[in-house]
Amino acid sequence: METQLDYAAVRAAADRIAGAVRPAAVVPAAEGVWFALEYLQHTGSFKARGARNFLAAHGAAGTLPEAGVTIASGGNAGLACAWAARAQGVRATVFLPETAPRVKVERLRGYGTEVRLVGDRYAEALAASQEFAAATGALSSHAYDHPLIAAGAGTLLDEIRAALPGLDAVVVAVGGGGLFAGVATAAREHGVRVIAAEPDNSRALNAALTAGHVVDVPVESVVADSLGATRASADALAAARHPDVTSVLVPDAGITAARRALWEEHRIVVEAGAATALAALRVLPAAPGERVAVVLCGANTDPGDL
C-alpha cells in the first residue's frame, strides 16, 4: 500500500479503480479551452476516485475493520466515502458541519450512511471523526490529506491527456489540496502546467506558499461548503512549489459570475467550488495556441440559487 504521493502511486491508483469510476469526459468550451466534466463522476464529484482507491487498497491489504470507515467532510468526500464503502461491503460514519448543504446531507442518508452533524466548520467535524475512530476502531479516512486519496484524484490528469493530446495546462480548484496535489503530481511527469485556483477568502494553499509552511486560514467565502479547508496538505504545498505551478486567487464575485456563465452559456450546473477553476482562467487567460483543460470538479448543489 502506497505511503507517499508520487507518480507511481497515481498509476497504482489507476489500476486499482479501473472500471469502478467513470472516465473523464472532456469537451471543447472555447478557443483553446476544454472542460473536464468530472462533476459527472459517481457521487457528483472527483472525490469518488480517491475514496475508491483508499478503500480498495485497505480491502486488498485486509485492513478494513469491523467498525467500518469514518470521515469528516464538507459533503462531497463523505458522499464518495459512503459510495466506496458500500462497494466494499463496509459501513461508513460521516461527520459534517451543521452548515453542510441539505442536498449533500440528504444524498448521504440516501446511501444508508450514518450522518453526524457537528459544529459549523470542517475542522470541528474532523475532530469529532477522529474521536469516533479512536473510540470505535473505525478506519479513519480523510477528505484530502492522505496519499491514497490524492493519488486517486490524480488519475484524472492522465485521462484528460488521453482525451486531449497536446495538453499544455490544467486548471483545478483548491480547498485542502487533494485534487491539486494528485493532479500536479501526474502533470509534473508530463510537463503539463497547473493553475491552482482559490477564493480570496479561502486560500489555504496560497497562504502556505507565502509563509513557506502549512498554516491555518480563516474561511469566509461562497465556496465554504466545498473548498472550506482551514489548511492545505503538506503534499499540496510540496507540489505547489514546482515552477510549473501557478497559484491564482479569485474573488467571490468572480466565482459566482463563472458559475452563472456555466449555466447560461453551457447549461452546466456546478458547485461554486467547481466554478472557481473557470473564474481563475478569467483572471489568467490561456496564452494563444495553448490547450487548457478546466476541471469542473463537482455538482452537488442546489440549482435554485443560480
Side-chain angles (χ1 to χ4, degrees):
M1 194 186 305
E2 297 80 31
T3 57
Q4 66 179 14
L5 179 62
D6 54 21
Y7 188 60
V10 175
R11 292 309 311 154
D15 291 341
R16 203 176 275 130
I17 69 176
V21 300
R22 294 169 179 156
V26 180
V27 300
E31 183 67 32
V33 179
W34 283 258
F35 290 155
L37 309 182
E38 188 62 0
Y39 66 88
L40 297 176
Q41 188 54 260
H42 291 290
T43 74
S45 87
F46 75 94
K47 297 282 190 180
R49 295 173 180 270
R52 188 74 185 222
N53 186 45
F54 178 84
L55 284 172
H58 277 283
T63 51
L64 284 177
E66 282 269 330
V69 62
T70 184
I71 191 170
S73 168
N76 285 342
L79 285 165
C81 181
W83 169 77
R86 188 170 65 177
Q88 288 287 330
V90 298
R91 57 179 167 162
T93 304
V94 179
F95 290 78
L96 278 72
E98 293 175 359
T99 53
R102 180 176 297 177
V103 63
K104 296 182 181 181
V105 175
E106 290 176 352
R107 287 198 67 193
L108 265 171
R109 289 179 172 147
Y111 282 123
T113 303
E114 182 176 354
V115 179
R116 301 192 183 187
L117 303 177
V118 178
D120 60 3
R121 297 289 185 193
Y122 166 75
E124 294 170 273
L126 177 61
S129 174
Q130 290 169 335
E131 290 173 9
F132 177 82
T136 65
L139 175 64
S140 186
S141 185
H142 198 281
Y144 60 88
D145 193 2
H146 192 285
L148 288 169
I149 297 292
T155 61
L156 176 61
L157 191 279
D158 281 343
E159 292 179 14
I160 294 173
R161 287 184 62 250
L164 184 56
L167 177 69
D168 293 298
V170 61
V171 190
V172 296
V174 182
L179 175 63
F180 163 74
V183 165
T185 296
R188 186 166 62 243
E189 186 76 12
H190 303 293
V192 174
R193 294 189 301 106
V194 182
I195 298 166
E198 294 178 279
D200 281 334
N201 297 322
S202 183
R203 55 168 77 187
L205 181 60
N206 182 271
L209 280 167
T210 301
H213 55 86
V214 173
V215 294
D216 287 323
V217 298
V219 176
E220 298 175 354
S221 171
V222 68
V223 303
D225 68 303
S226 56
L227 304 183
T230 55
R231 63 166 49 201
S233 70
D235 281 334
L237 175 56
R241 286 173 166 152
H242 193 271
D244 279 347
V245 173
T246 303
S247 172
V248 175
L249 297 175
V250 293
D252 274 8
I255 295 168
T256 301
R259 181 172 179 257
R260 188 177 302 115
L262 281 165
W263 169 246
E264 292 177 349
E265 297 170 20
H266 302 279
R267 283 303 187 255
I268 291 173
V269 180
V270 296
E271 299 171 42
T276 302
L278 180 59
L281 196 61
R282 293 178 168 195
V283 172
L284 188 68
E290 276 197 323
R291 296 165 73 82
V292 178
V294 177
V295 177
L296 302 180
C297 57
N300 289 312
T301 187
D302 181 352
D305 60 0
L306 281 168

